[in-house]
Amino acid sequence: MLLLALDTSAAATVALLHDDTVVGRFASADTRSHAEVLAPAVHRILSEAGVAGTELDAVVAGVGPGPFTGLRAGLVTARTLGFVWDVPLHGVMSLDALAFDAAAGGAVPAGSAFLAGTDARRGEVYWAAYRAPSQSGALPELLDGPHVGTASTLPAGQPLVGRAAGLYPDDVDGVPAFAASDPDAASLARVARLRLLAGAPLRDTSPLYLRESDAQVPGPRKRATA
């Protein structure tokens, strides 16, 4: 299975996977240039791998939660590529990729509940609750979420993986090995692949913004008075 995955819920990441092997990848921590870097990154990765877009089995997009502008850039790019190449397009919640990394890396005990969280800015975090699989290679079970809120409002007594843990160490029980982690496109593709192999449903590419955009349509101008 040949999958191209993109995620811009936090960092901009792109990955090409052949089955479980990463063939090419790109990551940029600059949250202001998602729209500019994605298309060139996809072109370079496919060119270096000698793969045409039409040969892909699917394009996978991280649907967030994430800030409006960055998340939209990734979804628009993924939708455009899927349309132009005429290949299936699937959505995966970005926090699922983060939770998968933590469970696969042994950062949380098998069968235990844990949280995955990313930076939502404004002093808040995007988060969801999971249960680690008891079987190696399986996917974590989503228990609750996604949500957005302050770190102090997260469920107590559950370890937190993801960048949110490093941002608010006094409010959460962070897992040090994953305290600076963001969702990764390669893990996004692995989550999608396991679901496709199991015949499990995937999301569409509707974005999980969870908040209104900062940009607002201005109201009517006030009439000048004499």
mmCIF file with all atom_site columns, all heavy atoms in Angstrom, residues 4-8 58-64 71 74-79 89-94 188-189 192 202-206:
data_model
loop_
_atom_site.group_PDB
_atom_site.id
_atom_site.type_symbol
_atom_site.label_atom_id
_atom_site.label_alt_id
_atom_site.label_comp_id
_atom_site.label_asym_id
_atom_site.label_entity_id
_atom_site.label_seq_id
_atom_site.pdbx_PDB_ins_code
_atom_site.Cartn_x
_atom_site.Cartn_y
_atom_site.Cartn_z
_atom_site.occupancy
_atom_site.B_iso_or_equiv
_atom_site.pdbx_formal_charge
_atom_site.auth_seq_id
_atom_site.auth_comp_id
_atom_site.auth_asym_id
_atom_site.auth_atom_id
_atom_site.pdbx_PDB_model_num
ATOM 1   N N   . LEU A 1 4   ? 0.411   8.699  0.700  1.00 0.00 ? 4   LEU A N   1
ATOM 2   C CA  . LEU A 1 4   ? 1.012   10.006 0.928  1.00 0.00 ? 4   LEU A CA  1
ATOM 3   C C   . LEU A 1 4   ? 0.196   10.699 1.999  1.00 0.00 ? 4   LEU A C   1
ATOM 4   O O   . LEU A 1 4   ? -1.025  10.823 1.886  1.00 0.00 ? 4   LEU A O   1
ATOM 5   C CB  . LEU A 1 4   ? 0.994   10.846 -0.353 1.00 0.00 ? 4   LEU A CB  1
ATOM 6   C CG  . LEU A 1 4   ? 1.542   12.274 -0.204 1.00 0.00 ? 4   LEU A CG  1
ATOM 7   C CD1 . LEU A 1 4   ? 3.061   12.253 -0.057 1.00 0.00 ? 4   LEU A CD1 1
ATOM 8   C CD2 . LEU A 1 4   ? 1.130   13.146 -1.393 1.00 0.00 ? 4   LEU A CD2 1
ATOM 9   N N   . ALA A 1 5   ? 0.844   11.151 3.071  1.00 0.00 ? 5   ALA A N   1
ATOM 10  C CA  . ALA A 1 5   ? 0.139   11.780 4.187  1.00 0.00 ? 5   ALA A CA  1
ATOM 11  C C   . ALA A 1 5   ? 0.653   13.197 4.408  1.00 0.00 ? 5   ALA A C   1
ATOM 12  O O   . ALA A 1 5   ? 1.845   13.471 4.254  1.00 0.00 ? 5   ALA A O   1
ATOM 13  C CB  . ALA A 1 5   ? 0.322   10.967 5.464  1.00 0.00 ? 5   ALA A CB  1
ATOM 14  N N   . LEU A 1 6   ? -0.262  14.091 4.766  1.00 0.00 ? 6   LEU A N   1
ATOM 15  C CA  . LEU A 1 6   ? 0.066   15.479 5.079  1.00 0.00 ? 6   LEU A CA  1
ATOM 16  C C   . LEU A 1 6   ? -0.626  15.868 6.376  1.00 0.00 ? 6   LEU A C   1
ATOM 17  O O   . LEU A 1 6   ? -1.793  15.521 6.588  1.00 0.00 ? 6   LEU A O   1
ATOM 18  C CB  . LEU A 1 6   ? -0.405  16.432 3.977  1.00 0.00 ? 6   LEU A CB  1
ATOM 19  C CG  . LEU A 1 6   ? 0.087   16.256 2.545  1.00 0.00 ? 6   LEU A CG  1
ATOM 20  C CD1 . LEU A 1 6   ? -0.798  15.261 1.790  1.00 0.00 ? 6   LEU A CD1 1
ATOM 21  C CD2 . LEU A 1 6   ? 0.079   17.588 1.807  1.00 0.00 ? 6   LEU A CD2 1
ATOM 22  N N   . ASP A 1 7   ? 0.088   16.598 7.224  1.00 0.00 ? 7   ASP A N   1
ATOM 23  C CA  . ASP A 1 7   ? -0.520  17.117 8.446  1.00 0.00 ? 7   ASP A CA  1
ATOM 24  C C   . ASP A 1 7   ? 0.008   18.512 8.727  1.00 0.00 ? 7   ASP A C   1
ATOM 25  O O   . ASP A 1 7   ? 1.229   18.720 8.732  1.00 0.00 ? 7   ASP A O   1
ATOM 26  C CB  . ASP A 1 7   ? -0.244  16.213 9.638  1.00 0.00 ? 7   ASP A CB  1
ATOM 27  C CG  . ASP A 1 7   ? -1.069  16.623 10.853 1.00 0.00 ? 7   ASP A CG  1
ATOM 28  O OD1 . ASP A 1 7   ? -0.676  17.578 11.540 1.00 0.00 ? 7   ASP A OD1 1
ATOM 29  O OD2 . ASP A 1 7   ? -2.114  15.989 11.095 1.00 0.00 ? 7   ASP A OD2 1
ATOM 30  N N   . THR A 1 8   ? -0.890  19.450 8.953  1.00 0.00 ? 8   THR A N   1
ATOM 31  C CA  . THR A 1 8   ? -0.489  20.817 9.282  1.00 0.00 ? 8   THR A CA  1
ATOM 32  C C   . THR A 1 8   ? -1.242  21.303 10.522 1.00 0.00 ? 8   THR A C   1
ATOM 33  O O   . THR A 1 8   ? -1.467  22.490 10.686 1.00 0.00 ? 8   THR A O   1
ATOM 34  C CB  . THR A 1 8   ? -0.758  21.776 8.101  1.00 0.00 ? 8   THR A CB  1
ATOM 35  O OG1 . THR A 1 8   ? -2.143  21.668 7.714  1.00 0.00 ? 8   THR A OG1 1
ATOM 36  C CG2 . THR A 1 8   ? 0.130   21.448 6.923  1.00 0.00 ? 8   THR A CG2 1
ATOM 37  N N   . ALA A 1 58  ? -3.741  6.127  -1.872 1.00 0.00 ? 58  ALA A N   1
ATOM 38  C CA  . ALA A 1 58  ? -4.583  7.138  -1.229 1.00 0.00 ? 58  ALA A CA  1
ATOM 39  C C   . ALA A 1 58  ? -3.718  8.294  -0.759 1.00 0.00 ? 58  ALA A C   1
ATOM 40  O O   . ALA A 1 58  ? -2.507  8.157  -0.560 1.00 0.00 ? 58  ALA A O   1
ATOM 41  C CB  . ALA A 1 58  ? -5.351  6.550  -0.053 1.00 0.00 ? 58  ALA A CB  1
ATOM 42  N N   . VAL A 1 59  ? -4.381  9.429  -0.562 1.00 0.00 ? 59  VAL A N   1
ATOM 43  C CA  . VAL A 1 59  ? -3.808  10.588 0.134  1.00 0.00 ? 59  VAL A CA  1
ATOM 44  C C   . VAL A 1 59  ? -4.494  10.664 1.489  1.00 0.00 ? 59  VAL A C   1
ATOM 45  O O   . VAL A 1 59  ? -5.715  10.526 1.585  1.00 0.00 ? 59  VAL A O   1
ATOM 46  C CB  . VAL A 1 59  ? -4.021  11.891 -0.655 1.00 0.00 ? 59  VAL A CB  1
ATOM 47  C CG1 . VAL A 1 59  ? -3.555  13.100 0.164  1.00 0.00 ? 59  VAL A CG1 1
ATOM 48  C CG2 . VAL A 1 59  ? -3.294  11.841 -1.990 1.00 0.00 ? 59  VAL A CG2 1
ATOM 49  N N   . VAL A 1 60  ? -3.703  10.871 2.543  1.00 0.00 ? 60  VAL A N   1
ATOM 50  C CA  . VAL A 1 60  ? -4.226  10.932 3.908  1.00 0.00 ? 60  VAL A CA  1
ATOM 51  C C   . VAL A 1 60  ? -3.957  12.322 4.463  1.00 0.00 ? 60  VAL A C   1
ATOM 52  O O   . VAL A 1 60  ? -2.831  12.823 4.374  1.00 0.00 ? 60  VAL A O   1
ATOM 53  C CB  . VAL A 1 60  ? -3.564  9.875  4.800  1.00 0.00 ? 60  VAL A CB  1
ATOM 54  C CG1 . VAL A 1 60  ? -4.118  9.945  6.218  1.00 0.00 ? 60  VAL A CG1 1
ATOM 55  C CG2 . VAL A 1 60  ? -3.758  8.477  4.221  1.00 0.00 ? 60  VAL A CG2 1
ATOM 56  N N   . ALA A 1 61  ? -4.979  12.932 5.031  1.00 0.00 ? 61  ALA A N   1
ATOM 57  C CA  . ALA A 1 61  ? -4.842  14.289 5.572  1.00 0.00 ? 61  ALA A CA  1
ATOM 58  C C   . ALA A 1 61  ? -5.165  14.309 7.047  1.00 0.00 ? 61  ALA A C   1
ATOM 59  O O   . ALA A 1 61  ? -6.161  13.726 7.485  1.00 0.00 ? 61  ALA A O   1
ATOM 60  C CB  . ALA A 1 61  ? -5.764  15.250 4.827  1.00 0.00 ? 61  ALA A CB  1
ATOM 61  N N   . GLY A 1 62  ? -4.341  15.006 7.828  1.00 0.00 ? 62  GLY A N   1
ATOM 62  C CA  . GLY A 1 62  ? -4.646  15.236 9.236  1.00 0.00 ? 62  GLY A CA  1
ATOM 63  C C   . GLY A 1 62  ? -5.712  16.311 9.344  1.00 0.00 ? 62  GLY A C   1
ATOM 64  O O   . GLY A 1 62  ? -5.542  17.408 8.806  1.00 0.00 ? 62  GLY A O   1
ATOM 65  N N   . VAL A 1 63  ? -6.812  16.010 10.027 1.00 0.00 ? 63  VAL A N   1
ATOM 66  C CA  . VAL A 1 63  ? -7.941  16.943 10.079 1.00 0.00 ? 63  VAL A CA  1
ATOM 67  C C   . VAL A 1 63  ? -7.965  17.771 11.362 1.00 0.00 ? 63  VAL A C   1
ATOM 68  O O   . VAL A 1 63  ? -8.916  18.473 11.642 1.00 0.00 ? 63  VAL A O   1
ATOM 69  C CB  . VAL A 1 63  ? -9.280  16.192 9.916  1.00 0.00 ? 63  VAL A CB  1
ATOM 70  C CG1 . VAL A 1 63  ? -9.330  15.474 8.580  1.00 0.00 ? 63  VAL A CG1 1
ATOM 71  C CG2 . VAL A 1 63  ? -9.518  15.208 11.060 1.00 0.00 ? 63  VAL A CG2 1
ATOM 72  N N   . GLY A 1 64  ? -6.880  17.706 12.136 1.00 0.00 ? 64  GLY A N   1
ATOM 73  C CA  . GLY A 1 64  ? -6.819  18.483 13.356 1.00 0.00 ? 64  GLY A CA  1
ATOM 74  C C   . GLY A 1 64  ? -7.235  17.676 14.565 1.00 0.00 ? 64  GLY A C   1
ATOM 75  O O   . GLY A 1 64  ? -7.230  16.450 14.514 1.00 0.00 ? 64  GLY A O   1
ATOM 76  N N   . LEU A 1 71  ? -4.228  24.601 9.509  1.00 0.00 ? 71  LEU A N   1
ATOM 77  C CA  . LEU A 1 71  ? -4.967  23.376 9.215  1.00 0.00 ? 71  LEU A CA  1
ATOM 78  C C   . LEU A 1 71  ? -5.608  23.440 7.837  1.00 0.00 ? 71  LEU A C   1
ATOM 79  O O   . LEU A 1 71  ? -5.585  22.471 7.069  1.00 0.00 ? 71  LEU A O   1
ATOM 80  C CB  . LEU A 1 71  ? -6.034  23.157 10.288 1.00 0.00 ? 71  LEU A CB  1
ATOM 81  C CG  . LEU A 1 71  ? -6.794  21.834 10.263 1.00 0.00 ? 71  LEU A CG  1
ATOM 82  C CD1 . LEU A 1 71  ? -5.844  20.655 10.341 1.00 0.00 ? 71  LEU A CD1 1
ATOM 83  C CD2 . LEU A 1 71  ? -7.811  21.786 11.401 1.00 0.00 ? 71  LEU A CD2 1
ATOM 84  N N   . GLY A 1 74  ? -3.193  22.604 4.862  1.00 0.00 ? 74  GLY A N   1
ATOM 85  C CA  . GLY A 1 74  ? -2.944  21.192 4.624  1.00 0.00 ? 74  GLY A CA  1
ATOM 86  C C   . GLY A 1 74  ? -4.117  20.483 3.988  1.00 0.00 ? 74  GLY A C   1
ATOM 87  O O   . GLY A 1 74  ? -3.950  19.649 3.088  1.00 0.00 ? 74  GLY A O   1
ATOM 88  N N   . LEU A 1 75  ? -5.325  20.802 4.434  1.00 0.00 ? 75  LEU A N   1
ATOM 89  C CA  . LEU A 1 75  ? -6.509  20.131 3.904  1.00 0.00 ? 75  LEU A CA  1
ATOM 90  C C   . LEU A 1 75  ? -6.774  20.527 2.452  1.00 0.00 ? 75  LEU A C   1
ATOM 91  O O   . LEU A 1 75  ? -7.138  19.676 1.628  1.00 0.00 ? 75  LEU A O   1
ATOM 92  C CB  . LEU A 1 75  ? -7.717  20.449 4.778  1.00 0.00 ? 75  LEU A CB  1
ATOM 93  C CG  . LEU A 1 75  ? -7.676  19.830 6.172  1.00 0.00 ? 75  LEU A CG  1
ATOM 94  C CD1 . LEU A 1 75  ? -8.847  20.317 7.014  1.00 0.00 ? 75  LEU A CD1 1
ATOM 95  C CD2 . LEU A 1 75  ? -7.690  18.315 6.081  1.00 0.00 ? 75  LEU A CD2 1
ATOM 96  N N   . VAL A 1 76  ? -6.596  21.792 2.144  1.00 0.00 ? 76  VAL A N   1
ATOM 97  C CA  . VAL A 1 76  ? -6.789  22.234 0.761  1.00 0.00 ? 76  VAL A CA  1
ATOM 98  C C   . VAL A 1 76  ? -5.774  21.558 -0.156 1.00 0.00 ? 76  VAL A C   1
ATOM 99  O O   . VAL A 1 76  ? -6.113  21.105 -1.257 1.00 0.00 ? 76  VAL A O   1
ATOM 100 C CB  . VAL A 1 76  ? -6.676  23.772 0.666  1.00 0.00 ? 76  VAL A CB  1
ATOM 101 C CG1 . VAL A 1 76  ? -6.584  24.208 -0.791 1.00 0.00 ? 76  VAL A CG1 1
ATOM 102 C CG2 . VAL A 1 76  ? -7.868  24.430 1.332  1.00 0.00 ? 76  VAL A CG2 1
ATOM 103 N N   . THR A 1 77  ? -4.522  21.469 0.296  1.00 0.00 ? 77  THR A N   1
ATOM 104 C CA  . THR A 1 77  ? -3.495  20.799 -0.517 1.00 0.00 ? 77  THR A CA  1
ATOM 105 C C   . THR A 1 77  ? -3.838  19.337 -0.726 1.00 0.00 ? 77  THR A C   1
ATOM 106 O O   . THR A 1 77  ? -3.766  18.823 -1.856 1.00 0.00 ? 77  THR A O   1
ATOM 107 C CB  . THR A 1 77  ? -2.124  20.919 0.167  1.00 0.00 ? 77  THR A CB  1
ATOM 108 O OG1 . THR A 1 77  ? -1.789  22.297 0.344  1.00 0.00 ? 77  THR A OG1 1
ATOM 109 C CG2 . THR A 1 77  ? -1.045  20.239 -0.666 1.00 0.00 ? 77  THR A CG2 1
ATOM 110 N N   . ALA A 1 78  ? -4.232  18.634 0.332  1.00 0.00 ? 78  ALA A N   1
ATOM 111 C CA  . ALA A 1 78  ? -4.564  17.216 0.218  1.00 0.00 ? 78  ALA A CA  1
ATOM 112 C C   . ALA A 1 78  ? -5.758  16.998 -0.696 1.00 0.00 ? 78  ALA A C   1
ATOM 113 O O   . ALA A 1 78  ? -5.766  16.079 -1.533 1.00 0.00 ? 78  ALA A O   1
ATOM 114 C CB  . ALA A 1 78  ? -4.837  16.638 1.601  1.00 0.00 ? 78  ALA A CB  1
ATOM 115 N N   . ARG A 1 79  ? -6.780  17.813 -0.559 1.00 0.00 ? 79  ARG A N   1
ATOM 116 C CA  . ARG A 1 79  ? -7.965  17.669 -1.405 1.00 0.00 ? 79  ARG A CA  1
ATOM 117 C C   . ARG A 1 79  ? -7.636  17.912 -2.867 1.00 0.00 ? 79  ARG A C   1
ATOM 118 O O   . ARG A 1 79  ? -8.129  17.214 -3.757 1.00 0.00 ? 79  ARG A O   1
ATOM 119 C CB  . ARG A 1 79  ? -9.049  18.645 -0.939 1.00 0.00 ? 79  ARG A CB  1
ATOM 120 C CG  . ARG A 1 79  ? -9.676  18.295 0.402  1.00 0.00 ? 79  ARG A CG  1
ATOM 121 C CD  . ARG A 1 79  ? -10.581 19.412 0.880  1.00 0.00 ? 79  ARG A CD  1
ATOM 122 N NE  . ARG A 1 79  ? -11.190 19.116 2.169  1.00 0.00 ? 79  ARG A NE  1
ATOM 123 C CZ  . ARG A 1 79  ? -11.917 19.979 2.861  1.00 0.00 ? 79  ARG A CZ  1
ATOM 124 N NH1 . ARG A 1 79  ? -12.109 21.206 2.378  1.00 0.00 ? 79  ARG A NH1 1
ATOM 125 N NH2 . ARG A 1 79  ? -12.439 19.627 4.028  1.00 0.00 ? 79  ARG A NH2 1
ATOM 126 N N   . LEU A 1 89  ? -9.148  9.867  -0.930 1.00 0.00 ? 89  LEU A N   1
ATOM 127 C CA  . LEU A 1 89  ? -8.694  10.833 0.073  1.00 0.00 ? 89  LEU A CA  1
ATOM 128 C C   . LEU A 1 89  ? -9.328  10.467 1.405  1.00 0.00 ? 89  LEU A C   1
ATOM 129 O O   . LEU A 1 89  ? -10.547 10.299 1.494  1.00 0.00 ? 89  LEU A O   1
ATOM 130 C CB  . LEU A 1 89  ? -9.103  12.249 -0.340 1.00 0.00 ? 89  LEU A CB  1
ATOM 131 C CG  . LEU A 1 89  ? -8.822  13.380 0.639  1.00 0.00 ? 89  LEU A CG  1
ATOM 132 C CD1 . LEU A 1 89  ? -7.324  13.564 0.824  1.00 0.00 ? 89  LEU A CD1 1
ATOM 133 C CD2 . LEU A 1 89  ? -9.464  14.681 0.142  1.00 0.00 ? 89  LEU A CD2 1
ATOM 134 N N   . HIS A 1 90  ? -8.496  10.328 2.437  1.00 0.00 ? 90  HIS A N   1
ATOM 135 C CA  . HIS A 1 90  ? -8.982  9.950  3.763  1.00 0.00 ? 90  HIS A CA  1
ATOM 136 C C   . HIS A 1 90  ? -8.522  10.962 4.797  1.00 0.00 ? 90  HIS A C   1
ATOM 137 O O   . HIS A 1 90  ? -7.435  11.532 4.685  1.00 0.00 ? 90  HIS A O   1
ATOM 138 C CB  . HIS A 1 90  ? -8.453  8.571  4.161  1.00 0.00 ? 90  HIS A CB  1
ATOM 139 C CG  . HIS A 1 90  ? -8.816  7.478  3.209  1.00 0.00 ? 90  HIS A CG  1
ATOM 140 N ND1 . HIS A 1 90  ? -10.109 7.104  2.954  1.00 0.00 ? 90  HIS A ND1 1
ATOM 141 C CD2 . HIS A 1 90  ? -8.030  6.675  2.429  1.00 0.00 ? 90  HIS A CD2 1
ATOM 142 C CE1 . HIS A 1 90  ? -10.119 6.108  2.074  1.00 0.00 ? 90  HIS A CE1 1
ATOM 143 N NE2 . HIS A 1 90  ? -8.881  5.850  1.744  1.00 0.00 ? 90  HIS A NE2 1
ATOM 144 N N   . GLY A 1 91  ? -9.333  11.149 5.824  1.00 0.00 ? 91  GLY A N   1
ATOM 145 C CA  . GLY A 1 91  ? -8.966  12.000 6.942  1.00 0.00 ? 91  GLY A CA  1
ATOM 146 C C   . GLY A 1 91  ? -8.674  11.181 8.189  1.00 0.00 ? 91  GLY A C   1
ATOM 147 O O   . GLY A 1 91  ? -9.302  10.141 8.419  1.00 0.00 ? 91  GLY A O   1
ATOM 148 N N   . VAL A 1 92  ? -7.713  11.637 8.974  1.00 0.00 ? 92  VAL A N   1
ATOM 149 C CA  . VAL A 1 92  ? -7.380  11.015 10.259 1.00 0.00 ? 92  VAL A CA  1
ATOM 150 C C   . VAL A 1 92  ? -7.214  12.144 11.272 1.00 0.00 ? 92  VAL A C   1
ATOM 151 O O   . VAL A 1 92  ? -6.565  13.152 10.968 1.00 0.00 ? 92  VAL A O   1
ATOM 152 C CB  . VAL A 1 92  ? -6.079  10.188 10.178 1.00 0.00 ? 92  VAL A CB  1
ATOM 153 C CG1 . VAL A 1 92  ? -5.636  9.726  11.572 1.00 0.00 ? 92  VAL A CG1 1
ATOM 154 C CG2 . VAL A 1 92  ? -6.261  8.983  9.267  1.00 0.00 ? 92  VAL A CG2 1
ATOM 155 N N   . MET A 1 93  ? -7.798  11.990 12.445 1.00 0.00 ? 93  MET A N   1
ATOM 156 C CA  . MET A 1 93  ? -7.599  13.007 13.481 1.00 0.00 ? 93  MET A CA  1
ATOM 157 C C   . MET A 1 93  ? -6.116  13.057 13.846 1.00 0.00 ? 93  MET A C   1
ATOM 158 O O   . MET A 1 93  ? -5.504  12.027 14.133 1.00 0.00 ? 93  MET A O   1
ATOM 159 C CB  . MET A 1 93  ? -8.444  12.718 14.714 1.00 0.00 ? 93  MET A CB  1
ATOM 160 C CG  . MET A 1 93  ? -8.363  13.833 15.749 1.00 0.00 ? 93  MET A CG  1
ATOM 161 S SD  . MET A 1 93  ? -9.630  13.774 17.016 1.00 0.00 ? 93  MET A SD  1
ATOM 162 C CE  . MET A 1 93  ? -9.059  12.370 17.989 1.00 0.00 ? 93  MET A CE  1
ATOM 163 N N   . SER A 1 94  ? -5.563  14.251 13.853 1.00 0.00 ? 94  SER A N   1
ATOM 164 C CA  . SER A 1 94  ? -4.128  14.409 14.080 1.00 0.00 ? 94  SER A CA  1
ATOM 165 C C   . SER A 1 94  ? -3.685  13.872 15.427 1.00 0.00 ? 94  SER A C   1
ATOM 166 O O   . SER A 1 94  ? -2.590  13.312 15.561 1.00 0.00 ? 94  SER A O   1
ATOM 167 C CB  . SER A 1 94  ? -3.749  15.883 13.941 1.00 0.00 ? 94  SER A CB  1
ATOM 168 O OG  . SER A 1 94  ? -4.133  16.388 12.676 1.00 0.00 ? 94  SER A OG  1
ATOM 169 N N   . LEU A 1 188 ? 0.512   9.347  10.897 1.00 0.00 ? 188 LEU A N   1
ATOM 170 C CA  . LEU A 1 188 ? -0.832  9.533  10.345 1.00 0.00 ? 188 LEU A CA  1
ATOM 171 C C   . LEU A 1 188 ? -1.100  8.465  9.275  1.00 0.00 ? 188 LEU A C   1
ATOM 172 O O   . LEU A 1 188 ? -2.170  7.839  9.254  1.00 0.00 ? 188 LEU A O   1
ATOM 173 C CB  . LEU A 1 188 ? -0.935  10.920 9.736  1.00 0.00 ? 188 LEU A CB  1
ATOM 174 C CG  . LEU A 1 188 ? -2.323  11.509 9.543  1.00 0.00 ? 188 LEU A CG  1
ATOM 175 C CD1 . LEU A 1 188 ? -2.861  12.026 10.863 1.00 0.00 ? 188 LEU A CD1 1
ATOM 176 C CD2 . LEU A 1 188 ? -2.264  12.642 8.519  1.00 0.00 ? 188 LEU A CD2 1
ATOM 177 N N   . ALA A 1 189 ? -0.117  8.243  8.403  1.00 0.00 ? 189 ALA A N   1
ATOM 178 C CA  . ALA A 1 189 ? -0.265  7.235  7.359  1.00 0.00 ? 189 ALA A CA  1
ATOM 179 C C   . ALA A 1 189 ? -0.359  5.830  7.945  1.00 0.00 ? 189 ALA A C   1
ATOM 180 O O   . ALA A 1 189 ? -1.122  4.986  7.455  1.00 0.00 ? 189 ALA A O   1
ATOM 181 C CB  . ALA A 1 189 ? 0.910   7.321  6.383  1.00 0.00 ? 189 ALA A CB  1
ATOM 182 N N   . ALA A 1 192 ? -3.853  5.317  9.245  1.00 0.00 ? 192 ALA A N   1
ATOM 183 C CA  . ALA A 1 192 ? -4.762  5.105  8.123  1.00 0.00 ? 192 ALA A CA  1
ATOM 184 C C   . ALA A 1 192 ? -4.597  3.710  7.532  1.00 0.00 ? 192 ALA A C   1
ATOM 185 O O   . ALA A 1 192 ? -5.593  3.035  7.214  1.00 0.00 ? 192 ALA A O   1
ATOM 186 C CB  . ALA A 1 192 ? -4.516  6.163  7.049  1.00 0.00 ? 192 ALA A CB  1
ATOM 187 N N   . LEU A 1 202 ? -12.747 5.413  7.978  1.00 0.00 ? 202 LEU A N   1
ATOM 188 C CA  . LEU A 1 202 ? -11.900 6.572  8.215  1.00 0.00 ? 202 LEU A CA  1
ATOM 189 C C   . LEU A 1 202 ? -12.748 7.828  8.114  1.00 0.00 ? 202 LEU A C   1
ATOM 190 O O   . LEU A 1 202 ? -13.867 7.802  7.588  1.00 0.00 ? 202 LEU A O   1
ATOM 191 C CB  . LEU A 1 202 ? -10.745 6.636  7.218  1.00 0.00 ? 202 LEU A CB  1
ATOM 192 C CG  . LEU A 1 202 ? -9.543  5.730  7.522  1.00 0.00 ? 202 LEU A CG  1
ATOM 193 C CD1 . LEU A 1 202 ? -9.786  4.338  6.976  1.00 0.00 ? 202 LEU A CD1 1
ATOM 194 C CD2 . LEU A 1 202 ? -8.257  6.301  6.944  1.00 0.00 ? 202 LEU A CD2 1
ATOM 195 N N   . ARG A 1 203 ? -12.228 8.912  8.602  1.00 0.00 ? 203 ARG A N   1
ATOM 196 C CA  . ARG A 1 203 ? -12.931 10.183 8.524  1.00 0.00 ? 203 ARG A CA  1
ATOM 197 C C   . ARG A 1 203 ? -12.886 10.748 7.110  1.00 0.00 ? 203 ARG A C   1
ATOM 198 O O   . ARG A 1 203 ? -12.030 10.370 6.303  1.00 0.00 ? 203 ARG A O   1
ATOM 199 C CB  . ARG A 1 203 ? -12.288 11.207 9.473  1.00 0.00 ? 203 ARG A CB  1
ATOM 200 C CG  . ARG A 1 203 ? -12.421 10.881 10.951 1.00 0.00 ? 203 ARG A CG  1
ATOM 201 C CD  . ARG A 1 203 ? -11.641 11.878 11.776 1.00 0.00 ? 203 ARG A CD  1
ATOM 202 N NE  . ARG A 1 203 ? -11.787 11.646 13.194 1.00 0.00 ? 203 ARG A NE  1
ATOM 203 C CZ  . ARG A 1 203 ? -12.643 12.292 13.982 1.00 0.00 ? 203 ARG A CZ  1
ATOM 204 N NH1 . ARG A 1 203 ? -13.403 13.247 13.481 1.00 0.00 ? 203 ARG A NH1 1
ATOM 205 N NH2 . ARG A 1 203 ? -12.729 12.020 15.274 1.00 0.00 ? 203 ARG A NH2 1
ATOM 206 N N   . ASP A 1 204 ? -13.803 11.682 6.849  1.00 0.00 ? 204 ASP A N   1
ATOM 207 C CA  . ASP A 1 204 ? -13.631 12.510 5.668  1.00 0.00 ? 204 ASP A CA  1
ATOM 208 C C   . ASP A 1 204 ? -12.664 13.633 6.047  1.00 0.00 ? 204 ASP A C   1
ATOM 209 O O   . ASP A 1 204 ? -12.043 13.584 7.111  1.00 0.00 ? 204 ASP A O   1
ATOM 210 C CB  . ASP A 1 204 ? -14.970 13.046 5.164  1.00 0.00 ? 204 ASP A CB  1
ATOM 211 C CG  . ASP A 1 204 ? -15.689 13.925 6.190  1.00 0.00 ? 204 ASP A CG  1
ATOM 212 O OD1 . ASP A 1 204 ? -15.034 14.439 7.125  1.00 0.00 ? 204 ASP A OD1 1
ATOM 213 O OD2 . ASP A 1 204 ? -16.911 14.103 6.057  1.00 0.00 ? 204 ASP A OD2 1
ATOM 214 N N   . THR A 1 205 ? -12.521 14.636 5.221  1.00 0.00 ? 205 THR A N   1
ATOM 215 C CA  . THR A 1 205 ? -11.529 15.673 5.506  1.00 0.00 ? 205 THR A CA  1
ATOM 216 C C   . THR A 1 205 ? -12.166 16.949 6.051  1.00 0.00 ? 205 THR A C   1
ATOM 217 O O   . THR A 1 205 ? -11.630 18.044 5.880  1.00 0.00 ? 205 THR A O   1
ATOM 218 C CB  . THR A 1 205 ? -10.689 15.995 4.252  1.00 0.00 ? 205 THR A CB  1
ATOM 219 O OG1 . THR A 1 205 ? -11.566 16.373 3.173  1.00 0.00 ? 205 THR A OG1 1
ATOM 220 C CG2 . THR A 1 205 ? -9.862  14.794 3.844  1.00 0.00 ? 205 THR A CG2 1
ATOM 221 N N   . SER A 1 206 ? -13.288 16.805 6.749  1.00 0.00 ? 206 SER A N   1
ATOM 222 C CA  . SER A 1 206 ? -13.863 17.958 7.437  1.00 0.00 ? 206 SER A CA  1
ATOM 223 C C   . SER A 1 206 ? -12.936 18.385 8.573  1.00 0.00 ? 206 SER A C   1
ATOM 224 O O   . SER A 1 206 ? -12.555 17.563 9.402  1.00 0.00 ? 206 SER A O   1
ATOM 225 C CB  . SER A 1 206 ? -15.240 17.619 8.002  1.00 0.00 ? 206 SER A CB  1
ATOM 226 O OG  . SER A 1 206 ? -16.136 17.248 6.974  1.00 0.00 ? 206 SER A OG  1
#
